[in-house]
Amino acid sequence: MQMNTPSRSTIRLTRRGRAVLIATGAVVAATAVAVPLLSVDSEGDTRPTSLLIPEGWRSIQVYEAVDKALALPAGSTKKSIAKARLKLPTDAEGNPEGYLFPATYPLKEKATPETLLSFMVDTANRKFGGAPVTAGAQRNAMNVYQAVTIASIVQAEAATKQDMGKVARVVFNRLERGMPLQMDSTINYALNRSTLRTTTADTRLNSPYNSYQRMGLPPTPIANPGEEAMRAAINPTQGDWLYFVTVKPGDTRFTADYAEHQRNVAEFNQNQKNQRNQKGQEKQGSGQPAK
């Protein structure tokens, strides 16, 4: 697999939210906020006993969650990375993004940011370092770190678990054809936000994570993927798709035909416009000012 591809193709638009290259420049920025998913014991002790890290959380969300779970000042967990001695692959260059494996972790009495982060990375190494993943990565002409990077994109982009294999195939097809990935999720990562509304101005962002301007994979994973996303990354569904858009919940359309994709995008945009109009009418009907 060629990861740094030649000059970008003129064919554009991939993602489920790509419809929103709207010239107005308006952006709805839903900044990701970490909310620790904690559990307490049945005897009423309010000290949390475990911490759930969901699939697809970014490292910054994990850091914030650990800070809250351990009642530490904001930023404590992020600062602890340097002394945590995490067993990361060389390609990661000390950045644990992609290797803070999503799972439920016990919060022992002497838990620290270092012990929790190490637990997460060790779990990722067990999940990603086995023979099936290594063989799957080699079969697709990539190393495990690149597979984790693709899995993170799949985790962020797929509307459902059933779509993961198809999204992975779009990534491979674009890389193999020398096309930019053009994934909104990579731009969202660079801007530390989560939104379906990406503008033309956003796609001009000067960042190594701007997959509209830069060829190949982003320099690191963009989230912490789960096992299903990794399975999709090393065993993508067979198909010739180059584009996809989630027209409405439960209706993601994949195609290799640009004209068909444009029609799907137009339908997506119309659905979004209808939803905005409906919300405006509901607010006016309730006496609230429409935004």
Side-chain angles (χ1 to χ4, degrees):
M1 169 182 283
Q2 188 173 7
M3 294 302 171
N4 294 308
T5 45
S7 61
R8 64 181 293 180
S9 168
T10 56
I11 301 176
R12 305 191 63 184
L13 311 178
T14 297
R15 185 223 196 247
R16 50 191 167 109
R18 182 66 269 123
V20 257
L21 272 181
I22 299 175
T24 60
V27 177
V28 178
T31 303
V33 177
V35 178
L37 304 180
L38 307 173
S39 62
V40 297
D41 64 27
S42 58
E43 297 181 359
D45 187 346
T46 58
R47 183 174 61 87
T49 58
S50 64
L51 171 62
L52 170 63
I53 303 299
E55 296 175 349
W57 264 16
R58 299 168 185 162
S59 59
I60 190 170
Q61 293 174 284
V62 177
Y63 303 152
E64 292 171 0
V66 173
D67 284 344
K68 292 176 182 178
L70 300 181
L72 297 173
S76 297
T77 299
K78 185 175 182 179
K79 292 177 182 177
S80 73
I81 295 173
K83 57 183 179 181
R85 297 183 179 180
L86 303 176
K87 298 177 181 178
L88 296 165
T90 302
D91 288 350
E93 298 182 349
N95 183 350
E97 191 72 84
Y99 281 78
L100 301 177
F101 192 80
T104 299
Y105 294 94
L107 295 176
K108 298 180 180 179
E109 186 174 349
K110 295 183 179 181
T112 65
E114 293 88 346
T115 60
L116 279 174
L117 294 179
S118 293
F119 197 170
M120 294 175 193
V121 171
D122 291 346
T123 302
N125 285 327
R126 287 197 302 274
K127 299 290 186 179
F128 300 154
V133 172
T134 302
Q138 292 175 346
R139 185 171 60 249
N140 289 285
M142 59 183 173
N143 61 33
V144 172
Y145 190 72
Q146 289 167 331
V148 174
T149 300
I150 291 176
S152 73
I153 294 173
V154 169
Q155 189 78 65
E157 291 281 345
T160 66
K161 292 180 180 179
Q162 291 74 23
D163 288 339
M164 285 183 171
K166 290 184 176 181
V167 172
R169 177 53 65 188
V170 170
V171 172
F172 278 94
N173 286 347
R174 282 183 160 254
L175 290 171
E176 290 168 359
R177 286 162 175 75
M179 298 171 65
L181 293 183
Q182 298 182 316
M183 298 286 177
D184 293 359
S185 57
T186 64
I187 293 177
N188 283 338
Y189 182 77
L191 296 173
N192 189 30
R193 70 181 190 191
S194 298
T195 179
L196 288 181
R197 293 182 61 82
T198 300
T199 68
T200 302
D202 291 335
T203 65
R204 301 190 187 106
L205 178 70
N206 182 18
S207 167
Y209 292 93
N210 183 353
S211 59
Y212 281 81
Q213 300 290 342
R214 307 296 178 96
M215 302 300 292
L217 293 174
T220 71
I222 61 168
N224 294 284
E227 289 183 274
E228 291 190 65
M230 176 57 88
R231 279 195 290 269
I234 62 174
N235 189 31
T237 306
Q238 291 300 312
D240 62 353
W241 311 292
L242 294 171
Y243 316 97
F244 64 96
V245 59
T246 298
V247 175
K248 58 185 178 181
D251 183 9
T252 299
R253 301 177 190 175
F254 294 80
T255 182
D257 182 80
Y258 183 55
E260 180 181 355
H261 180 66
Q262 286 182 306
R263 292 192 293 271
N264 292 337
V265 164
E267 187 174 340
F268 170 88
N269 274 330
Q270 186 59 51
N271 288 340
Q272 292 293 300
K273 181 179 180 181
N274 292 343
Q275 290 178 14
R276 289 194 296 270
N277 290 341
Q278 183 178 358
K279 289 180 180 178
Q281 292 171 359
E282 290 174 352
K283 287 184 177 180
Q284 287 180 338
S286 64
Q288 298 180 22
K291 295 181 180 179

